[in-house]
Amino acid sequence: MDTNKLYVKCKNCERIIAEIIEDAMVPAAEDCYKMGNVPDPNMGWLCSQESANEFEKKYEITFELTQDGKVDYYAS
């Protein structure tokens, strides 16, 4: 990982989700979401539902969940 580059990382495990290039996410936020990454508009990104579950336990917080039990603030 190049220390001069900016990255979007999972708030739980620090996995790289995207790179910031010229003030834009690469891949784009919509593509990251489609790949299963979990955006939280008040916090940042988590790399998966499993990571979101781990984050909840680690920090004793509760995300808002969809009817099927997923963290998804953008479900249609």
Side-chain angles (χ1 to χ4, degrees), residues 7 13-14 21-22 25 27 30 39 42 44 47 49 56 63 65 70 76:
Y7 298 97
C13 70
E14 303 261 330
I21 300 174
E22 297 181 10
M25 284 178 63
E30 295 83 6
N42 297 312
C47 66
Q49 291 294 320
E56 282 185 315
F63 290 114
L65 302 177
K70 293 183 177 180
S76 47

Side-chain angles (χ1 to χ4, degrees), residues 13-27:
C13 70
E14 303 261 330
R15 180 177 159 252
I16 294 173
I17 293 170
E19 185 178 346
I20 302 297
I21 300 174
E22 297 181 10
D23 294 329
M25 284 178 63
V26 177

